[in-house]
Amino acid sequence: MDKQPMRGGDEALGPDDPSSRRDMLGRMVRAFEKHAVPAYGLPAAWQGPRCLRSAEHAEHAEHAEHAETTSHGDGSVLDREVSYSVDHGEDAERRRAAPFLTVTTSDGPRPPVEWLLAVAAGEQRVPHALELITGGAIANEVGVAVDGTTTTFSTLERDGLVAASADFHDLAISYVGRGIDVPALGLAQITDMAPYVSGYWERLRRLGITF
């Protein structure tokens, strides 16, 4: 899969500011722009607020299960898993009733929807995840256009909260949300970071966090 170039990240960082938050955001923007794994979100035509959430490059001394590995002299293999998450709609502090959507793209294994739903509901332990399944969560499969290609997502829904995941070429794409119709909207590779970066600053301002 070809990774489309991103634009708009540096320009949206704001005036030169040595604060730790700006440095952190700068590192996140550079991670989005420079890694080989593309990031996905709602199409540009969707008019709601957007915000960067996280960019991770986790390393695990495990078996070679991910896209990028490095062999060491002692025979061990270091896995590298790249993961990007972006938010759409209201931020976490307002999610109880408002529509929201978090989309995560990774070159690691596809996350189980049971775990995604448990985390989104604030319950991260396995017994709670199993309780979600037996407590009325509805499993389904839906077709979502990802860059125009219809892709089958496994979904799990409970009380209006939806978790979904799918394999897309050599990537895993997942989302959790409420009140945003992803199958109707589709997903697209992010090529303009400016709305996500400016949304990050706006979120901090709403929370009263100074820079």
Side-chain angles (χ1 to χ4, degrees):
M1 178 192 307
D2 293 331
K3 176 176 180 285
Q4 300 299 315
M6 286 188 181
R7 60 184 175 83
D10 289 337
E11 292 83 352
L13 282 173
D16 188 20
D17 182 345
S19 72
S20 60
R21 285 194 179 89
R22 188 183 189 283
D23 289 345
M24 179 184 69
L25 179 57
R27 288 195 298 271
M28 192 187 307
V29 168
R30 287 190 292 274
F32 269 87
E33 290 177 333
K34 292 183 179 180
H35 277 308
V37 175
Y40 281 82
L42 291 178
W46 186 78
Q47 296 298 308
R50 304 167 186 257
C51 180
L52 295 181
R53 185 170 184 84
S54 66
E56 299 179 1
H57 189 187
E59 298 183 348
H60 312 281
E62 302 287 352
H63 297 293
E65 298 176 346
H66 307 305
E68 182 182 354
T69 60
T70 302
S71 297
H72 295 270
D74 60 3
S76 65
V77 175
L78 184 67
D79 283 333
R80 289 188 168 92
E81 180 179 324
V82 178
S83 177
Y84 301 120
S85 294
V86 291
D87 285 344
H88 308 77
E90 296 292 346
D91 54 63
E93 288 70 22
R94 304 183 182 189
R95 281 183 178 177
R96 294 301 178 184
F100 81 95
L101 181 73
T102 298
V103 182
T104 300
T105 312
S106 172
D107 66 352
R110 181 168 62 153
V113 289
E114 297 85 0
W115 180 81
L116 291 171
L117 189 62
V119 171
E123 303 290 353
Q124 300 185 33
R125 291 176 294 176
V126 173
H128 287 87
L130 295 176
E131 181 180 327
L132 285 170
I133 301 171
T134 59
I138 300 172
N140 199 1
E141 291 188 344
V142 299
V144 177
V146 182
D147 279 345
T149 300
T150 300
T151 304
T152 300
F153 279 73
S154 299
T155 68
L156 197 62
E157 179 177 0
R158 184 172 185 261
D159 298 330
L161 189 64
V162 179
S165 66
D167 292 316
F168 182 68
H169 298 290
D170 55 349
L171 301 173
I173 300 178
S174 62
Y175 63 84
V176 295
R178 175 189 288 112
I180 294 179
D181 192 348
V182 178
L185 295 167
L187 298 171
Q189 190 174 154
I190 298 170
T191 58
D192 184 3
M193 294 198 63
Y196 293 94
V197 176
S198 59
Y200 179 93
W201 287 122
E202 179 59 30
R203 175 178 294 183
L204 293 183
R205 293 188 187 96
R206 285 203 309 268
L207 294 174
I209 298 174
T210 59
F211 314 118

